[in-house]
Amino acid sequence: MTNNVVIVPPSTKSLSEFADLLDIEKILKIDSVLPWLLANGFDYEDAYVYAEVIDECTSIDQVYDSDLVNFHSLSDVEKSKMERILKVFFL
């Protein structure tokens, strides 16, 4: 069985489930990976920590070697999404 992973660019529509919690327009203006993580279904609290780690790194390898988050423990689908999102920021 093949998992197709679609990366959703952050938009007001893709972040609509967070409308009660966050100012979506403000989130979309953040120069960070956070909107990408939220738009792709990552839990807000996890996504916030992931974004902090990613924003401090200068390469994909640094992200995966983080002591703060074990990115290797993500599900295969989440890993695939994460890798595609990271390529947007590191390539």
Side-chain angles (χ1 to χ4, degrees):
M1 183 173 147
T2 305
N3 289 324
N4 291 331
V5 176
V6 177
I7 299 303
V8 181
S11 68
T12 302
K13 184 177 178 183
S14 65
L15 294 171
S16 62
E17 69 184 86
F18 298 95
D20 294 337
L21 301 172
L22 307 166
D23 180 343
I24 300 306
E25 295 300 327
K26 196 172 184 180
I27 287 286
L28 287 170
K29 291 177 186 170
I30 295 173
D31 185 23
S32 163
V33 73
L34 181 60
W36 289 80
L37 295 171
L38 294 176
N40 285 283
F42 286 86
D43 175 80
Y44 177 74
E45 289 182 15
D46 290 340
Y48 194 82
V49 174
Y50 298 167
E52 282 189 6
V53 171
I54 293 165
D55 290 344
E56 291 176 4
C57 294
T58 58
S59 71
I60 293 175
D61 290 338
Q62 274 190 335
V63 172
Y64 281 105
D65 290 341
S66 168
D67 292 332
L68 187 60
V69 176
N70 182 2
F71 287 101
H72 300 290
S73 69
L74 296 175
S75 71
D76 288 342
V77 171
E78 288 180 329
K79 268 190 216 173
S80 183
K81 283 184 181 181
M82 183 69 75
E83 287 170 6
R84 292 177 187 206
I85 292 169
L86 291 175
K87 286 179 182 174
V88 171
F89 286 87
F90 291 110
L91 291 182

